[in-house]
Amino acid sequence: MESVGDKVISRAQITGTFTDSTVIPDRYVRSDEARDGVVVGDDESYELPVVDMARLLDPESSEAEVAKPGSACRDWGFFQLTNHGVDETIVQDMKDNTVQFFGLPLEKKKAVAIQAGGLEGFGHHYSRASCEKLDWAESLILVTEHKEQRNIRFWPADPSTFRDALDKYSMEMSDLTSRLMPFMASDLGVEQETLVGTFQGKKQSVAFHYYPQCRHPEKVIGITPHHDGLALTLLLHVDDTPGLQVRKNGTWYPVKPLPGALVINVGDILQILTNGTYKSVEHRVLPDVEKGRATVVMFQHACVAGMVKPLPELGEAAYRAIEKVEYIKGNFRALAEGTWFVDSLKINHGT
Ligand SMILES: O=C(O)CCC(=O)C(=O)O
Ligand SMILES: [Fe+2]
């Protein structure tokens, strides 16, 4: 059987093979549903929602801005957040360390390679067991909260500033989540403490991705279409290369990264907590023909007294309650099979 270690591919190998050759190794070539679907045309104008945090917080403008995060979460499940107030030095340090890490030779990155059966570390994480194809990406996944759950041996020691940068960045993302939740609570009509409480002190994990440039982007996929299984995702573009696409009513919409913004999206747990009011939407990444692309993706967990279930304030439950641990297991199982776990939790109330 192929070991996890065999799946670690160096950026040098990938770009070396593909910038000079017209042939893409079979294990990356995707002809499956991953590449299906219509992408919105270049001539069609569309706007993904943008929320300005400074306007939200300013009493003069907050009334006009306050409807935006809620409607973005209901209609798109995604928005870009500008003026988020996260310390710029901390963001820049995280970006610099990400670039430096992915720029290391493969042998060095292997110091933190994922182990057989493990979840954390460097390698190919997102490809499906059921399809045996690889995504055009190398990734590093780590648990950042709770602190005692950190597996420091998977936190890169090279570059030497990486761990400190991530420690600080992780805290900033938890704080930002706590600042955002009250706006969502008032949109939903639930007590602020109720929603904030489902996130506060819960787990957090991070995925760093690098998508090398690809001469034949039409043949491969950066990340297979998926829904995010946790509660809230906060994505930082390390560069200005586009690639992320969000699906709405069957059409794929490319996200055009705004300078300095974070991309926020609703994960499955938040869809369940909000009893389906907020949408966890499918998204994917396509590589760029000219440039590599790196992202830092923070996943915030949430639960109600150890359970994943709709907030009782939001009416008759549309999803069955499940223990968080069981939820995580089910989510991984479904991801490997290419199904969506949330579907199996839906309650059919009949008519
Ligand atoms: O890198 C991106 O743009 C998206 C990553 C993503 O969807 C994920 O890590 O779940
Ligand atoms: Fe995702």
Side-chain angles (χ1 to χ4, degrees):
M1 209 182 88
E2 192 183 39
S3 78
V4 177
D6 295 338
K7 293 191 174 182
V8 178
I9 310 291
S10 80
R11 185 176 66 142
Q13 272 171 341
I14 293 170
T15 52
T17 309
F18 302 139
T19 48
D20 301 338
S21 122
T22 51
V23 182
I24 291 189
D26 191 48
R27 63 180 176 164
Y28 289 100
V29 177
R30 308 294 288 259
S31 55
D32 61 4
E33 80 287 350
R35 293 214 50 103
D36 279 358
V38 181
V39 180
V40 66
D42 287 341
D43 51 342
E44 290 173 71
S45 80
Y46 65 93
E47 268 174 46
L48 279 174
V50 177
V51 176
D52 184 335
M53 189 90 179
R55 280 177 56 81
L56 272 181
L57 296 170
D58 180 347
E60 297 251 305
S61 49
S62 68
E63 210 179 306
E65 198 71 14
V66 80
K68 290 190 183 171
S71 74
C73 292
R74 288 161 197 260
D75 297 342
W76 285 90
F78 261 81
F79 59 91
Q80 296 204 61
L81 184 68
T82 56
N83 295 314
H84 42 64
V86 178
D87 187 318
E88 281 174 28
T89 317
I90 293 178
V91 172
Q92 194 56 48
D93 280 352
M94 193 69 272
K95 288 185 180 183
D96 294 345
N97 278 279
T98 304
V99 171
Q100 283 173 42
F101 173 74
F102 283 121
L104 291 173
L106 176 64
E107 279 317 309
K108 294 223 163 148
K109 287 184 282 196
K110 272 190 173 167
V112 291
I114 27 176
Q115 305 295 300
L119 291 177
E120 291 182 81
F122 170 77
H124 273 286
H125 284 268
Y126 280 49
S127 40
R128 299 235 168 95
S130 60
C131 108
E132 299 199 338
K133 293 287 184 178
L134 293 178
D135 287 345
W136 192 268
E138 46 180 45
S139 307
L140 168 67
I141 293 189
L142 299 169
V143 171
T144 42
E145 289 291 338
H146 305 103
K147 292 203 171 36
E148 65 279 8
Q149 291 170 337
R150 291 180 178 180
N151 270 313
I152 290 297
R153 58 164 300 229
F154 292 112
W155 288 47
D158 189 358
S160 62
T161 45
F162 190 101
R163 293 177 177 176
D164 186 49
L166 179 56
D167 182 46
K168 295 200 169 86
Y169 186 71
S170 143
M171 264 186 301
E172 290 285 339
M173 291 301 106
S174 304
D175 289 352
L176 178 59
T177 305
S178 304
R179 277 184 279 135
L180 267 176
M181 281 309 137
F183 296 105
M184 299 196 180
S186 61
D187 169 68
L188 293 160
V190 299
E191 294 290 332
Q192 291 191 3
E193 303 81 70
T194 307
L195 195 61
V196 173
T198 63
F199 281 81
Q200 225 153 34
K202 302 300 184 319
K203 271 183 82 165
Q204 181 197 59
S205 44
V206 64
F208 298 85
H209 301 298
Y210 183 74
Y211 309 92
Q213 79 174 125
C214 182
R215 269 283 181 92
H216 298 283
E218 73 289 352
K219 292 199 171 141
V220 304
I221 191 120
I223 286 193
T224 302
H226 66 281
H227 299 81
D228 289 347
L230 300 170
L232 193 76
T233 307
L234 305 101
L235 179 146
L236 172 69
H237 279 100
V238 171
D239 42 59
D240 59 3
T241 311
L244 178 61
Q245 300 189 340
V246 179
R247 195 173 215 168
K248 188 169 196 255
N249 301 329
T251 301
W252 291 106
Y253 291 85
V255 176
K256 300 167 193 155
L258 291 174
L262 288 162
V263 180
I264 312 287
N265 70 279
V266 175
D268 297 345
I269 293 182
L270 188 54
Q271 172 168 328
I272 294 168
L273 279 175
T274 63
N275 210 18
T277 307
Y278 288 178
K279 304 284 182 300
S280 168
V281 301
E282 216 181 353
H283 52 284
R284 68 179 183 184
V285 175
L286 301 186
D288 191 81
V289 71
E290 277 164 10
K291 293 187 291 181
R293 173 171 182 265
T295 53
V296 180
V297 192
M298 208 48 103
F299 302 103
Q300 300 288 153
H301 296 225
C303 58
V304 183
M307 304 292 287
V308 173
K309 62 175 192 179
L311 293 173
E313 293 90 328
L314 295 175
E316 187 180 17
Y319 304 92
R320 71 181 164 85
I322 178 170
E323 281 200 342
K324 171 89 185 311
V325 180
E326 290 307 310
Y327 171 87
I328 298 287
K329 280 190 209 157
N331 212 281
F332 273 118
R333 221 170 30 236
L335 205 62
E337 289 166 358
T339 58
W340 191 28
F341 190 55
V342 171
D343 281 336
S344 70
L345 299 175
K346 278 194 186 135
I347 298 172
N348 186 354
H349 288 294
T351 44

